[in-house]
Amino acid sequence: MILQRILIFSGGLAGAAGVGLSAAAAHAGGANTGTAASFLLAHAPLLVAVGLLRWNAVLRIGALIVLAGLVLFAGDLLMRDFAGTRLFPMAAPSGGTLMIAGWLVVAIGGLTGNRTGREAS
């Protein structure tokens, strides 16, 4: 239950940040900010959807991996635009790799079926 709330909260935050950063990129420029905003907006629905589903743990693990990757990737790009420095070396590529891996785990979760003991609606 707590994990579901964390995913929904994170998805809402990612969506809100994506909209705000899109506006910032449009008005103040910053290609990295625009890219981070796009990634936040693209991944927010996954986090909310998995948080709302009462389905298997594999989906939740995949969503958490995506979330970790999103934080690293977007965080690094935003640090470059707003602080003029990187989060740490290889943060963006590491985050991108985690996002890819997380989506693959989500795909596997879709094939593994219901593991909660309840039928998915």
Side-chain angles (χ1 to χ4, degrees):
M1 175 92 95
I2 300 256
L3 183 54
Q4 289 175 295
R5 289 181 183 189
I6 289 170
L7 289 172
I8 295 168
F9 176 77
S10 298
L13 259 165
V19 172
L21 290 169
S22 291
H27 294 287
N32 288 331
T33 299
T35 300
S38 296
F39 271 78
L40 287 162
L41 287 170
H43 292 82
L46 167 75
L47 301 172
V48 172
V50 171
L52 290 173
L53 289 174
R54 292 188 175 268
W55 230 37
N56 65 35
V58 177
L59 286 175
R60 291 191 190 120
I61 291 167
L64 286 174
I65 294 169
V66 168
L67 177 58
L70 187 59
V71 168
L72 288 177
F73 184 81
D76 188 54
L77 294 182
L78 294 170
M79 284 289 291
R80 291 178 195 193
D81 272 359
F82 292 106
T85 186
R86 292 174 173 249
L87 192 57
F88 59 85
M90 299 297 290
S94 298
T97 301
L98 282 172
M99 285 187 286
I100 293 167
W103 276 105
L104 291 172
V105 172
V106 167
I108 291 166
L111 296 175
T112 60
N114 186 353
R115 297 286 185 241
T116 64
R118 300 180 195 164
E119 287 300 314
S121 34

